[in-house]
Amino acid sequence: MKRRNIGIMAHVDAGKTTVTERMLYYTGLTHQLGNVDEGNTIMDTDPQEEQRGITISSASITTYWNYAGNQCCITLIDTPGHVDFTAEVERSLRVLDGAVAVFCARSGVQSQSETVWHQADRYQVPRIVLINKMDRQGADFAQVVQEIRTKLHANAVPVQLPIGSEDDFKGVIDLVTMTALIWHSPDGKTYETTTIPSDGALAAEHARQHLMEELALVNEAFFERFTADPTAITVQHIRDALRTATIERRLMPVLCSAAYRNKGVQPLLDAIVQYLPAPEDLPLINGTDPASFAGLVFKIVTDDYTGKLGLIRVYAGILQAGDTLWNSRTGKRVRIHRLLRIMSNKYEAIQQLEAGDIGAILGAKDLRTGDTLSSPDHAVTLEPIRFPHPMIGFAIEARSAKESVKLSEALSRLLEEDPTLSVEIDASSGQTILKGMGELHLDVVLEKLKSDYQVEVNKGQPQIAYKEVFTQSVTHCATYKKQNGGSGNFAEIHFELSPRSDGQSGLEFIDAIRGGAIPREFIASVQKGFTAAMGTGVLAGYPVDAMRIRLFDGMIHEKDSHALDFEQVAHIGFKAAAVQAGPKLLEPVMCVNVTAPQEYTGAVTSDLTRRKGQIKEVEARLSMQCIQASVPLSRLFGYITTLRTLTAGRASASMKFEQYQLAT
């Protein structure tokens, strides 16, 4: 049986959950049309998702689509569109073989579109493009295709053209078969395949010619056929070339739909089978040492009924219930009690998982997101999943002493599930600091504490994830000396502390010791000490983003010097030298994108400027203005509420992390 593991990714309000719901309906998995507005979708099962009308947690489900007489097993993962939940997109893309990138036919490429697109680039995920909401006022298929090409630098090539737009959207022209697909039935289950309308024939000919020219540029075999005799090229030739180009990420086929109106989804299912890769079509994943079984745990879910589940993508071999595996992170064996197939928030017991499968395991202890599980006799470590660091935090405390234990237990479970959450204890105040990706992220977490764990908390003012950096170079000599009657402690180092010049984060450590003044094993301890010292800056106690250390001299005592002494002297030296190195605060700056009616442009830009924002671009799109600005995160608390007030609720905004810059 054919298999596809795909994700549905997009910015907020592009309609990806609706697209997913229609796919489940037309494949026969569901028997009613789920709608986000009505709160009856299969994929958005969290009460907060129904209440807020957004996807918060990625959801997986398996269905089957009959294509050309063959059944294809399709595992779908519907991912969030809000930047605060970007970790859900990150871990999903890490284990998927392909993706459908959904864009709104009116709003086009948004900031979060760019974020998820670049995430897919990082994991080299082949994708097809769906321009959805062709029934919306202001829908412009050609404009969105052009934006994808220019803003995302992607070779997006239409394989369909819309027939009509807005209220007149009736169906699509298939440029591969040169036929028209028209939807008449209210539920969209049936559609008519007919000849291309006369008023669209010329545009279809031009678009098909463009498609074949683009294929000729990226596929040598197709180029030879195209230049020899274009009339001899068959539908199968085009499909084969499209499939190869899509899998190699040389080209992204573009389709269109109006999923809410039940038009254009069945051809999307066909395209997923036609053009996106099966697990065996992709190159081997990166790992150390080949294994007879290898799987990556990409998500932890705590279920009240089943307990702690590990969602796993199998890359090699077969896993059966009762098998014992090796966890490369812990260095311990784990026994798998049960295997489950994921069906959104429900699970079905299965006997085994094979290479290419995505499923859930039950019974394995001490699992974390990113763990590699492999055969004990052929241990392997797969490339880990990278997550962004939390941006803001709140001080929180339980409202009563008896709830403190419940709060601690609840936070422990939430941290297992969400790798972008962190909990720290402030050294000076003793407060518990809960950190996350943004205000919405933390609001969702606090609501979960209340609804799922019956723990209410008091929260303090928002805290920004500042960093510290140095602006000057300083040379320093540090000595650590201690004598207690017997064996003592001694270490001395001479070093230069300076800013990094390569623009990278972290410690740049240069060993410039000559003549063995400090033994090799102690130099490693010096580096370790400076790395640890960067965790607490001297200006305000924030982590140091980057620094350069050049160690050029030092001394040891023949009997009293130890490795820990050189870690300690690095700490001492850092604290003393850092004060003289011109420490400055770095603050996170966000890229803010606002879409507002034209008459509110002045009010929106004035408010952004008042928040110390820099207006980068103002672009007209129909009667709306798209405003992009760089704004310090510290100035953005409560911004969405203010924006709604300024624009009578008619504007929308999204934001993503842009960079750290010197605080003003």
Side-chain angles (χ1 to χ4, degrees), residues 464 587 610-613 631-639 664:
I464 308 294
E587 65 178 344
R610 183 180 60 80
R611 296 170 185 270
K612 294 194 174 181
V631 189
L633 176 59
S634 60
R635 305 281 177 156
L636 287 171
F637 292 111
Y639 177 66
T664 54

Side-chain angles (χ1 to χ4, degrees), residues 229-430:
D229 183 5
T231 61
I233 293 176
T234 66
V235 167
Q236 196 57 48
H237 288 150
I238 296 175
R239 284 181 177 160
D240 290 345
L242 268 171
R243 178 173 179 76
T244 301
T246 304
I247 292 173
E248 293 177 352
R249 295 180 297 113
R250 295 173 178 267
L251 181 149
M252 284 80 174
V254 182
L255 298 86
C256 56
S257 70
Y260 185 75
R261 304 293 178 192
N262 311 316
K263 298 173 182 177
V265 178
Q266 294 95 327
L268 171 64
L269 285 160
D270 287 342
I272 287 168
V273 181
Q274 289 165 343
Y275 307 131
L276 289 179
E280 58 268 21
D281 293 325
L282 295 173
L284 295 175
I285 43 108
N286 294 326
T288 57
D289 300 332
S292 51
F293 174 83
L296 184 74
V297 177
F298 66 95
K299 188 172 182 178
I300 302 297
V301 176
T302 304
D303 186 273
D304 289 337
Y305 178 70
T306 58
K308 183 176 173 181
L309 296 170
L311 275 55
I312 189 170
R313 161 68 195 262
V314 179
Y315 285 99
I318 296 174
L319 176 62
Q320 296 181 327
D323 283 353
T324 297
L325 299 176
W326 178 262
N327 187 327
S328 63
R329 177 182 58 84
T330 63
K332 296 179 180 178
R333 293 172 181 256
V334 292
R335 184 173 173 81
I336 309 302
H337 294 167
R338 294 175 62 199
L339 300 176
L340 305 169
R341 176 175 287 115
I342 313 162
M343 302 299 287
S344 187
N345 66 332
K346 298 181 175 65
Y347 302 92
E348 298 176 355
I350 54 175
Q351 294 304 308
Q352 66 180 33
L353 291 170
E354 301 177 1
D357 280 343
I358 292 175
I361 56 177
L362 186 63
K365 295 182 179 179
D366 192 20
L367 275 187
R368 291 185 192 170
T369 298
D371 281 357
T372 298
L373 300 181
S374 59
S375 304
D377 52 343
H378 291 91
V380 65
T381 302
L382 300 174
E383 181 184 357
I385 307 172
R386 303 180 188 91
F387 295 107
H389 296 294
M391 286 286 105
I392 68 170
F394 294 117
I396 62 170
E397 63 179 11
R399 290 191 176 176
S400 64
K402 68 177 184 179
E403 288 198 326
S404 294
V405 175
K406 285 174 65 178
L407 174 61
S408 178
E409 292 173 351
L411 287 174
S412 178
R413 292 175 69 175
L414 289 171
L415 288 172
E416 286 183 338
E417 295 180 5
D418 188 346
T420 58
L421 271 182
S422 73
V423 174
E424 300 173 3
I425 304 299
D426 186 274
S428 58
S429 66

